[in-house]
Each structure stands twice: as structure tokens, then as C-alpha cells.
Amino acid sequence: MGFIIAQYCILILILTQDIISAEIRLDQSSAEVKKPGEAVKISCKISGYSMTSNNMGWIRQKPGQALEWIGYMITGRNSATYADSVKDHFKLTEDVSTSMQFLEAKSLRAEDTAVYYCAREAH
């Protein structure tokens, strides 16, 4: 199954109707520097909308390279699909009760050096 990165975008949107406003936010955990062989778990806190109304994706950008799709979570089902290049290396999970998404690697490799992003599926 092919996946188009353009379907996902990092989105911060302010909706205003009269005096009511809501802000959609995807807040990631702080940046970390890890060594090969170490584990990491990155979190993405979702607010401003019901997490289960949009699937969530993870992408990364290695130094000097284009964005690379890692996978996406069918929210509310804890069901993930991964790019072949990272299958069995990364694990996507979620906690609907706290509106959190997670990207985890048990043993990082040097080629995992990148900036990682969570992204909300656009409708």
C-alpha cells in the first residue's frame, strides 16, 4: 500500500467564531540526543480536537535529505502501518485517554539521526 506524505501536514489552526476560539496543537516531547543502541520514545500530545477524528502520521528528516514517511496510526484502534524501510524497527502506539501518540525505537542505529515529526492527517 503506497502512502503519500502530502496527505499529512503539521497543522496549527486557529478557528474563530464570534468570541469562541479553539487552537489545534500537536506538542512533541523535547529533543533528545541518543547514541546507537539506545532506546527512545517520542510523544505527541494532541489538543484542540478529538484525537480519534484524524489518523496520525510520523515523518522524519535526515540531515540534508527530504522528508521520509515512517508510518501512521489509525487512531482509536491502536493499529499502525509502517514504511517498509522501518518495519520492525519503530513502533507506533497511542493512549486515547490522554490524547497521546508515541513513536518508539528499542535500539537506535546511526542512520536514525533525524528530526522526527508527528503529523495530523488532512481531510
Side-chain angles (χ1 to χ4, degrees):
M1 173 191 330
F3 187 85
I4 300 170
I5 291 176
Q7 287 182 328
Y8 283 86
C9 64
I10 297 171
L11 177 65
I12 297 176
L13 175 65
I14 298 175
L15 302 172
T16 306
Q17 181 177 355
D18 296 328
I19 58 170
I20 300 171
S21 65
E23 184 178 16
I24 293 174
R25 295 180 55 104
L26 305 177
D27 293 313
Q28 290 186 225
S29 50
S30 299
E32 296 184 56
V33 176
K34 297 285 189 176
K35 295 179 181 171
E38 291 184 323
V40 68
K41 188 171 186 176
I42 304 168
S43 65
C44 180
K45 172 72 172 166
I46 296 158
S47 60
Y49 74 99
S50 172
M51 182 179 82
T52 57
S53 65
N54 294 83
N55 293 335
M56 292 297 297
W58 287 88
I59 54 178
R60 68 180 174 183
Q61 189 167 29
K62 296 178 180 182
Q65 295 189 22
L67 292 171
E68 177 185 10
W69 176 68
I70 296 169
Y72 72 95
M73 174 68 67
I74 299 174
T75 57
R77 296 186 191 168
N78 209 22
S79 175
T81 299
Y82 301 89
D84 289 338
S85 61
V86 299
K87 198 175 284 186
D88 302 321
H89 182 58
F90 289 108
K91 182 177 181 182
L92 303 180
T93 57
E94 66 181 351
D95 182 345
V96 175
S97 68
T98 60
S99 295
M100 298 283 287
Q101 294 281 319
F102 302 97
L103 170 67
E104 185 173 11
K106 295 288 187 195
S107 183
L108 290 166
R109 305 179 289 219
E111 59 264 32
D112 292 325
T113 299
V115 176
Y116 290 79
Y117 302 95
C118 62
R120 176 184 174 204
E121 180 181 24
H123 284 280

